[in-house]
Amino acid sequence: MNPLISPPNGPLVVSTVPSYKADGIPLQLSLIFPTYQESQNIKELIDQVCSVLDKVLPGAYELIIVDDNSPDQTWLVAQQLSQYYPQLQVMRRVDERGLATAVIRGWQVGQGQVLGVMDADLQHPPEVLEGLLQACITGADLAVASRHVEGGGVSRWSLARRITSRGAQLIGLVLLPEVVGRVSDPMSGYFFVQRKAIADIKLNPLGYKILLEVLGRGMVERVQEVGYVFQERQQGTSKVTPRQYWEYLGHLLQLRLDRLPVRRFLTFGLVGLSGVVIDNFFLYLLSDPHTLGWGLTRSKIIAAELAIINNFWWNDRWTFGDLAAEQNKATQRGLRFLKFNAVCAIGLGFNVLLLNFFFNTFHLNRYLANLLAIAIVTVWNFWINLKLSWRSSG
Ligand code: GDD
Ligand code: MN
């Protein structure tokens, strides 16, 4: 019976090169099974997985069960099983909990060039392993078993479960389109990733969705998907509770903030600040009772347009100068200006609405109300301009 592996602690970082090779064989695959209360499934799972991998990767794979101190002693059942399966290792975690961190702790002790994860409750068909491995051998950095491609599906899911899963995916597409949009099944917990795609990167997942973390922080170039049908659970129950949905949302927001291009955003903010000075100067010049005394909205629109022209000029040369340099024809710059104007004009609409809302509803001082409105609209202007004006005006 293999001794239990002691859980690594410290940062969730997978090393570039494995710390050791089991009897010198260059291990190709380390497949992790996060478990909680799976004692009734473990034996059948290991039998099925080994019968597939002994065919496609004889002697070049290891299985690592990472159990979070299950009350049903899943870790003990697995450890007893390891006397018949030398390729099976077991980690019992007592101080740390959670599916996604369990997977990373397993990858940290794994030796394979390819790191995999699979549910331990027989809902992930083992024959898909072959397709995932094939995808990695033919150059994929990430091979994902997906329910939403050809050959994919879910068994007898209720409408509520389908809506919840797709709803979660939609929220992900809104908050992190460039991450969640790269795969058809971002909720999948069944995939292989090349070690080099996530090595030496500090991972920091929340909750269940480890694939989100790999896509959000890893150096993943090529993604391939393999269709599979998510099976009905025979033994035990799903551990998904409302808490996992909140953790998923928190995970999305955390990745969104961490993926904000900080330098660009700060430069954009500084340019925006110069625009605020111009905006307020002309708002004063045009609307203040001691100067021209024009109407608030008319003054605001003129002041804002002058600020938009100023901001475009600076953003095109500084904030997004590297992107603009790749698209430096006059027509491209003109198109960028029009898009920038359109985005900022919509932002101006939000700004005027927010200004009036804060001024008339909360009776804030007009300049404070304006500053608050501008701050909110700046995030909108940055993100949409980054994606629309400077990325796609090629
Ligand atoms: N170590 C550990 N710690 N394992 C856990 C924990 C935990 O806190 N919670 C769940 N697991 C294990 C379960 O024992 C099972 O092996 C696997 O993670 C999936 O858990 P389920 O509770 O069965 O999840 P599901 O059936 O709702 O499946 C959904 O989540 C999976 C994981 O992200 C689906 O979205 C699947 O596609 C996905 O693979
Ligand atoms: Mn399950």
Side-chain angles (χ1 to χ4, degrees):
M1 169 153 101
N2 290 340
L4 290 177
I5 317 175
S6 44
N9 47 35
L12 293 161
V13 179
V14 173
S15 64
T16 313
V17 288
S19 45
Y20 64 86
K21 284 197 187 344
D23 354 296
I25 305 170
L27 270 170
Q28 287 190 13
L29 170 67
S30 299
L31 182 56
I32 311 304
F33 303 95
T35 59
Y36 190 69
Q37 306 274 60
E38 301 294 352
S39 60
Q40 300 157 299
N41 290 315
I42 290 296
K43 173 142 182 28
E44 181 59 24
L45 169 82
I46 299 301
D47 283 349
Q48 289 183 14
V49 167
C50 289
S51 60
V52 172
L53 292 180
D54 283 342
K55 270 199 311 278
V56 294
L57 263 184
Y61 71 91
E62 62 180 345
L63 309 177
I64 303 175
I65 283 177
V66 181
D67 183 67
D68 282 359
N69 204 22
S70 298
D72 71 355
Q73 296 198 314
T74 303
W75 52 275
L76 184 61
V77 173
Q79 193 186 13
Q80 286 157 351
L81 210 51
S82 69
Q83 56 193 320
Y84 310 105
Y85 295 95
Q87 67 272 51
L88 174 59
Q89 313 256 8
V90 183
M91 187 192 298
R92 176 189 184 188
R93 296 201 306 171
V94 180
D95 305 325
E96 199 175 41
R97 279 219 55 178
L99 192 161
T101 56
V103 175
I104 298 170
R105 293 303 185 195
W107 285 342
Q108 284 182 304
V109 298
Q111 303 302 305
Q113 287 87 336
V114 173
L115 305 171
V117 55
M118 180 178 176
D119 288 0
D121 54 10
L122 305 171
Q123 289 192 278
H124 286 164
E127 56 276 10
V128 172
L129 291 166
E130 204 168 338
L132 295 176
L133 195 73
Q134 204 44 42
C136 289
I137 291 169
T138 51
D141 295 316
L142 176 68
V144 183
S146 168
R147 293 161 287 195
H148 308 312
V149 292
E150 196 196 326
V154 291
S155 40
R156 294 190 305 278
W157 268 18
S158 65
L159 183 63
R161 173 109 201 234
R162 290 171 196 264
I163 292 171
T164 320
S165 184
R166 286 298 195 168
Q169 185 172 356
L170 203 60
I171 294 170
L173 285 170
V174 169
L175 283 173
L176 270 177
E178 77 280 14
V179 172
V180 174
R182 295 193 65 189
V183 289
S184 62
D185 187 358
M187 303 299 140
S188 176
Y190 191 8
F191 62 87
F192 286 2
V193 60
Q194 301 278 1
R195 173 188 289 273
K196 62 181 188 316
I198 55 168
D200 299 331
I201 293 173
K202 194 169 174 333
L203 300 171
N204 181 23
L206 277 174
Y208 253 48
K209 298 307 165 193
I210 180 66
L211 179 57
L212 211 53
E213 191 68 7
V214 168
L215 279 166
R217 297 190 202 278
M219 311 297 279
V220 173
E221 299 284 325
R222 285 188 53 191
V223 181
Q224 257 185 268
E225 296 189 300
V226 180
Y228 85 100
V229 178
F230 191 64
Q231 304 298 304
E232 271 309 292
R233 192 186 249 273
Q234 303 305 322
Q235 306 279 356
T237 56
S238 165
K239 282 77 194 176
V240 171
T241 62
R243 179 190 160 147
Q244 267 75 40
Y245 291 106
W246 289 113
E247 283 180 337
Y248 169 68
L249 211 51
H251 196 180
L252 285 173
L253 290 171
Q254 184 172 274
L255 280 169
R256 178 70 288 150
L257 284 176
D258 290 352
R259 289 175 59 85
L260 262 182
V262 178
R263 181 201 65 78
R264 246 194 244 287
F265 187 67
L266 291 177
T267 322
F268 189 84
L270 275 177
V271 169
L273 216 54
S274 71
V276 168
V277 171
I278 289 176
D279 185 305
N280 272 300
F281 171 70
F282 282 101
L283 186 69
Y284 168 72
L285 199 65
L286 300 173
S287 77
D288 198 282
H290 303 99
T291 54
L292 296 176
W294 290 3
L296 184 65
T297 302
R298 183 164 53 129
S299 310
K300 170 66 193 169
I301 290 170
I302 295 169
E305 185 50 39
L306 291 169
I308 286 173
I309 293 166
N310 166 76
N311 291 5
F312 177 76
W313 196 87
W314 283 106
N315 282 321
D316 204 45
R317 276 154 188 73
W318 190 26
T319 314
F320 303 109
D322 56 327
L323 301 174
E326 295 156 20
Q327 319 155 44
N328 55 7
K329 288 193 205 105
T331 45
Q332 288 172 316
R333 177 167 291 125
L335 187 61
R336 275 201 300 281
F337 176 67
L338 291 177
K339 285 184 182 177
F340 184 76
N341 240 303
V343 171
C344 294
I346 296 167
L348 173 62
F350 287 148
N351 197 326
V352 170
L353 286 174
L354 288 167
L355 169 65
N356 281 285
F357 176 64
F358 293 137
F359 184 70
N360 298 313
T361 316
F362 291 109
H363 308 298
L364 282 187
N365 163 292
R366 73 177 66 205
Y367 300 109
L368 182 64
N370 196 30
L371 287 178
L372 207 53
I374 289 171
I376 295 169
V377 167
T378 299
V379 177
W380 149 273
N381 280 346
F382 174 75
W383 202 250
I384 304 298
N385 274 308
L386 173 66
K387 291 297 168 199
L388 188 71
S389 313
W390 273 275
R391 275 290 156 87
S392 59
S393 61

